Structure formats: structure tokens, C-alpha cells
Amino acid sequence: MAITRHQRPQELTGVSTEEIANRFVARFRDRNADWHAFADAKLDGYRRAQHRFIGAGGSGKHSDTSVIPARGFTLSVMYVPPGEGNAAHTHEVEEVFFVLKGFLDVFVSDENDDIAWRRLGPWECISCPPGIIHGYVNKSLEPVYFQVMLGRSKPETMGYADDQLFEGRDSHLTQTEGGK
């Protein structure tokens, strides 16, 4: 007989292993591509789709019962077509980009526009510390898939470096899903 060495969370006390397995498995085939997950995603050059696995769907804008509830981090898979990326931004927590398929050009920057670029391939990652300006562009000819993790179960909306994007950073929270 197995011995539990750590206490279950209160909400899982008395819950069967079948129900736990059903609640905490998320499959890619069940994810919906959210092309409106970010305020900048409606702009040419920043179009991308988020597939949320762990944490509030679409940066917290709606509830999706197929998404695993977050405890200490979020996890998504991003699909980025060639020539697209995201706007320079910061977070209050660490953000990790881990490339699964394709090539992704990532950057870190400071307020003086001192930018350092790196190209990441499959099974390579960058960890962006809190408060460091960062972002990415798919400069290749093929789409890229990569995993994104944020170090909080419900992080704040990203802090865009561009004033206009920052002012409208919550505009995507009221948009409906579907289409581009």
C-alpha cells in the first residue's frame, strides 16, 4: 500500500483518483486557439494564438472548464505564424519560453533600447526575470510552437513597453472568441 507523504489540498479531500485524473489532464486536441488572448494580437506583426493548458483561459478573460486550474503558475502553448511575434513587455513574475517546434527569435531589452537577441530552436528556452523588457518574433519561414509559463496562477496583464498598447492592455478581456 502506498503512503501519502504530503497532505492533499482541501478541495481534493475525498475526491476519487478517476476524478482527479479527469480534472488534471489537458489534451492539445481539446484546446481552442485563442487569437484574442492579448491586446496586441489584433495588430499586424503580433498575431498569434494561445492554447491554454493550466490557468485562467485567455489571460483570465473567460472561464474554460477544460483548462486545468492553476495553483502556482500558468502554462500555454503558443502558435506563431512566420513574421509575427509579440510587443515588448514586462511581467511582475518570471516568464519562460520553451520552443517545441520551429525557431523563435527572442529578445531582452532595457529602457535605453539596448537589445540582446537570441535564436531558440527546439528544446531550448529563455527565462525572462520579472521587470525585464522582453518579447519574440518568428523570423523563420515556418510556424513555431512554444510553451509559455508564468510564475503565478493569475498574473497581471502584461505591461507593454509601448504607452498606447499599455493604455489598451485590457481591451482584449471583453472580446469574444472565434476568428481572428
Side-chain angles (χ1 to χ4, degrees):
M1 175 174 243
I3 299 172
T4 300
R5 303 290 182 191
H6 298 89
Q7 188 173 347
R8 281 185 183 202
Q10 186 175 357
E11 69 272 15
L12 295 179
T13 301
V15 176
S16 74
T17 55
E18 276 299 315
E19 190 175 338
I20 290 170
N22 288 337
R23 191 183 305 175
F24 292 92
V25 169
R27 301 186 189 283
F28 185 77
R29 68 176 179 244
D30 299 328
R31 306 298 99 211
N32 293 315
D34 186 350
W35 290 89
H36 302 287
F38 309 97
D40 64 335
K42 62 183 170 248
L43 304 174
D44 286 338
Y46 299 139
R47 298 190 194 285
R48 61 201 184 277
Q50 179 183 54
H51 302 80
R52 180 72 77 171
F53 282 78
I54 299 174
S59 298
K61 70 178 178 180
H62 55 80
S63 178
D64 182 347
T65 57
S66 73
V67 174
I68 297 171
R71 295 188 184 280
F73 63 91
T74 66
L75 178 98
S76 298
V77 170
M78 298 299 298
Y79 167 81
V80 183
E84 303 289 335
N86 74 347
H89 66 282
T90 61
H91 290 282
E92 82 284 12
V93 296
E94 181 177 26
E95 182 172 40
V96 174
F97 303 149
F98 186 95
V99 177
L100 302 169
K101 182 179 180 184
F103 293 92
L104 186 68
D105 289 279
V106 299
F107 66 87
V108 293
S109 178
D110 64 17
E111 292 175 338
N112 297 317
D113 292 327
D114 183 18
I115 299 174
W117 286 91
R118 298 292 183 270
R119 174 163 274 194
L120 301 178
W123 302 98
E124 297 177 342
C125 75
I126 183 172
S127 176
C128 305
I132 300 297
I133 299 169
H134 64 278
Y136 58 82
V137 177
N138 178 358
K139 294 182 180 181
S140 74
L141 299 176
E142 300 293 328
V144 64
Y145 282 93
F146 66 100
Q147 175 184 321
V148 177
M149 287 182 65
L150 282 159
R152 181 178 281 170
S153 62
K154 191 170 183 182
E156 294 176 12
T157 306
M158 65 175 83
Y160 292 107
D162 176 273
D163 284 339
Q164 190 173 2
L165 283 172
F166 183 76
E167 300 259 333
R169 71 184 182 151
D170 292 329
S171 64
H172 68 291
L173 298 176
T174 58
Q175 292 184 0
T176 59
E177 286 188 60
K180 280 188 174 183

